[in-house]
Amino acid sequence: MKSILLIGQSNMAGRGFLTDVPTIYNENIEMLRNGRWQMMAEPIHFDREVAGVGPAASFASAWLNDYPEEKIGLIPCAEGGSSIAEWADDQLLTRHALSEAKFAMETSELIGILWHQGENDSLNGLHKVYAEKLAAVFAHFRSELGLPELPIIVGELPEFLGKSGFGLSATEYKEINHEIKKVVVETENCYLVSAEGLTANPDGIHIDAVSQRKFGIRYYEAFSKKIDILQPLENEEKQLQKIYARQQTKNEKIYRLSRSFALGELDFQAFMTKFGEISNE
Amino acid sequence: MKSILLIGQSNMAGRGFLTDVPTIYNENIEMLRNGRWQMMAEPIHFDREVAGVGPAASFASAWLNDYPEEKIGLIPCAEGGSSIAEWADDQLLTRHALSEAKFAMETSELIGILWHQGENDSLNGLHKVYAEKLAAVFAHFRSELGLPELPIIVGELPEFLGKSGFGLSATEYKEINHEIKKVVVETENCYLVSAEGLTANPDGIHIDAVSQRKFGIRYYEAFSKKIDILQPLENEEKQLQKIYARQQTKNEKIYRLSRSFALGELDFQAFMTKFGEISNE
């Protein structure tokens, strides 16, 4: 089994509304819970009550299209509202994410990091010290994980920042994007993902669910081709439709049926009847 | 700041429906997220998509009634469906829970463990080896945390088991309760909490939200008085009403307002207006 570490701030954790996009269930996508793997269900992160759709579910789905016989596990360690300073070597977020990754590595091969961060540094001239700090984060994670060539995929900050709602304060996001590009260029096995055209939740700071699904496809394109993705992909909508149209397996149907029963949406008799139907398919 | 470790299986993680009971927000109750503290919002656990209300929120609220000037943090490490064997010394659940507790202990004083487990061992004669394993779990946690006298509060399995739905297989819950009592008696600073009268979700295995709130009050009574609670408390409903009737603080109102805005439930203009109103209260 392969695994991917998710770090950064809220747009990596995911704040897209779950009800805005088709759900993704795939028995070959798992997520780390209590140091072990569970079948993925969104929200993958739980850093805040408002956690929702991030880029990881569509990333993992796209990965599985290329490796249909394998499994991929997602390690959710992004933290809403975290600044680059909070990802320094000695910080709790860093030490905790490394600890989670190491638990995951007992039962999987870590093959990449997805990173998205910078909104909290898009003000007060903080961009002047950003590149050095970001490069240090990447070097520290690779070093501590013992994977000096571990691919790191880095999303740009979206263009809707600095304009409304909670995004108003992020006036210097273009400067941060400039620094991000610089670090990506200077770092081996590190690739950039364009945020062009991504749209926001009404709060003006969080990427909406529809755009997060596309962002994940772009992240995977950068990961798989080992190139920077400098603009939207022509086929990202088509790729998503293929993911949504995938036939559910027996295990996935039973998972969803059991979930409905646990939530009191059907009685035991109805559950057993449907369970029998699925089992006999 | 004080903290409490939550371990066991799903009825400690919580599966009560969030919509069945009044919410609990209290800026002096926090929960561990990414190694750090956040204001508590239920579900506190995230082991499964169906995580909901457990005993911890009302436990913490009752604690705060006795220590109104302090803060309490909850460390969620229970795992749905876990057997006692999965809590042995070398198991991932155990090692991960210890790791989480140690992150929490960097910034808090751990003052107790709430434990609830046994449904997965209530069949096939597993009760014959249960007591020894349970005692070993308690000893191992205390030893690894360096707190040999750490109070451990242990809830009984509920009487509705073995009768319907997913609870049908747990036919030997009375035998497990017998073993639990034995271990509690033989362990210093360990107290029992009655599950008498607790009622189930429609799935027949999970304690419903209304009963989980009461269970938490009983857990706190055992913790604070250092006694076994062998039957329902006369005033548990009254204690809960006091918790629900508590006046929200400015910070809690702002948290809830920000949450509503983040979820798109009101626009920025309305958010700013209400924010101003709360700030000027």
Side-chain angles (χ1 to χ4, degrees), chain A residues 183-216:
Chain A
V183 173
V184 168
V185 167
E186 290 168 358
T187 309
E188 290 281 322
N189 289 324
C190 188
Y191 305 101
L192 189 76
V193 182
S194 169
E196 188 183 325
L198 302 185
T199 49
N201 280 349
D203 64 9
I205 192 155
H206 293 129
I207 302 168
D208 64 33
V210 168
S211 288
Q212 283 282 21
R213 291 278 195 247
K214 293 178 188 168
F215 210 21

Side-chain angles (χ1 to χ4, degrees), chain A residues 80-144:
Chain A
S82 56
S83 66
I84 194 70
E86 292 174 273
W87 289 96
D89 294 11
D90 59 343
Q91 293 292 298
L92 265 169
L93 291 181
T94 301
R95 291 187 286 118
H96 189 265
L98 286 166
S99 168
E100 292 291 289
K102 286 172 186 171
F103 277 114
M105 289 164 75
E106 291 189 27
T107 51
S108 69
E109 180 195 351
L110 186 68
I111 58 169
I113 289 176
L114 308 190
W115 169 267
H116 193 277
Q117 194 277 337
E119 293 88 343
N120 269 54
D121 295 270
S122 293
L123 71 174
N124 299 336
L126 288 169
H127 60 88
K128 289 170 199 159
V129 293
Y130 190 79
E132 189 186 349
K133 290 181 180 183
L134 181 62
V137 170
F138 293 167
H140 182 68
F141 269 86
R142 283 172 166 174
S143 159
E144 290 293 312

Side-chain angles (χ1 to χ4, degrees), chain B:
Chain B
M1 175 167 167
K2 304 294 196 283
S3 61
I4 296 281
L5 177 61
L6 311 172
I7 46 179
Q9 64 174 110
S10 56
N11 279 323
M12 178 52 64
R15 297 292 187 263
F17 302 152
L18 293 164
T19 48
D20 278 359
V21 286
T23 55
I24 294 180
Y25 287 102
N26 187 318
E27 61 176 308
N28 294 320
I29 308 177
E30 306 206 330
M31 57 184 183
L32 199 74
R33 289 297 192 261
N34 286 322
R36 313 194 311 184
W37 299 108
Q38 294 295 331
M39 189 169 120
M40 183 201 77
E42 292 179 285
I44 298 164
H45 279 79
F46 40 81
D47 60 314
R48 294 291 184 286
E49 193 183 1
V50 292
V53 176
S58 55
F59 173 92
S61 299
W63 187 89
L64 277 174
N65 281 337
D66 283 349
Y67 303 94
E69 304 299 313
E70 295 197 48
K71 275 182 181 266
I72 188 161
L74 303 167
I75 309 162
C77 294
E79 170 76 11
S82 58
S83 66
I84 194 70
E86 291 173 273
W87 288 97
D89 295 10
D90 59 343
Q91 293 292 297
L92 266 169
L93 291 182
T94 301
R95 292 187 287 118
H96 189 265
L98 286 167
S99 168
E100 291 291 289
K102 285 171 187 173
F103 277 114
M105 288 164 76
E106 291 189 27
T107 51
S108 68
E109 180 196 351
L110 186 68
I111 58 169
I113 289 177
L114 308 191
W115 169 268
H116 193 276
Q117 194 277 337
E119 293 87 342
N120 269 55
D121 294 272
S122 294
L123 72 174
N124 299 336
L126 288 170
H127 59 88
K128 289 170 199 157
V129 293
Y130 191 79
E132 189 185 351
K133 290 182 180 182
L134 182 62
V137 171
F138 293 167
H140 182 67
F141 269 86
R142 283 173 166 175
S143 157
E144 290 292 311
L145 296 169
L147 297 168
E149 325 239 302
L150 187 67
I152 301 178
I153 316 299
V154 185
E156 281 185 326
L157 297 183
E159 303 155 325
F160 56 69
L161 291 171
K163 296 180 184 63
S164 74
F166 287 162
L168 269 173
S169 63
T171 49
E172 298 167 10
Y173 76 93
K174 284 181 188 169
E175 289 86 339
I176 290 290
N177 274 341
H178 182 79
E179 300 303 307
I180 287 174
K181 271 179 203 162
K182 207 164 76 182
V183 173
V184 168
V185 166
E186 290 167 1
T187 309
E188 291 281 322
N189 288 325
C190 188
Y191 305 101
L192 190 75
V193 181
S194 168
E196 188 182 324
L198 302 185
T199 50
N201 279 350
D203 64 9
I205 192 155
H206 292 127
I207 302 168
D208 64 32
V210 168
S211 288
Q212 284 281 21
R213 291 279 196 246
K214 293 178 189 169
F215 211 21
I217 297 293
R218 295 182 200 173
Y219 265 90
Y220 181 65
E221 191 80 359
F223 178 82
S224 65
K225 301 247 169 80
K226 296 175 180 294
I227 53 171
D228 296 331
I229 300 300
L230 300 174
Q231 56 194 47
L233 304 173
E234 276 183 22
N235 68 347
E236 56 198 27
E237 187 55 47
K238 203 173 145 194
Q239 282 199 59
L240 285 171
Q241 289 313 319
K242 185 180 166 190
I243 289 165
Y244 296 145
R246 174 179 166 276
Q247 196 81 30
Q248 293 284 286
T249 67
K250 203 174 274 198
N251 283 342
E252 291 156 17
K253 286 181 189 169
I254 289 172
Y255 173 92
R256 298 180 76 165
L257 180 69
S258 302
R259 174 188 178 279
S260 290
F261 177 57
L263 294 175
E265 294 167 1
L266 74 176
D267 66 20
F268 193 53
Q269 188 59 46
F271 169 79
M272 287 307 289
T273 304
K274 290 207 179 176
F275 185 86
E277 286 167 13
I278 295 169
S279 302
N280 290 326
E281 269 175 12

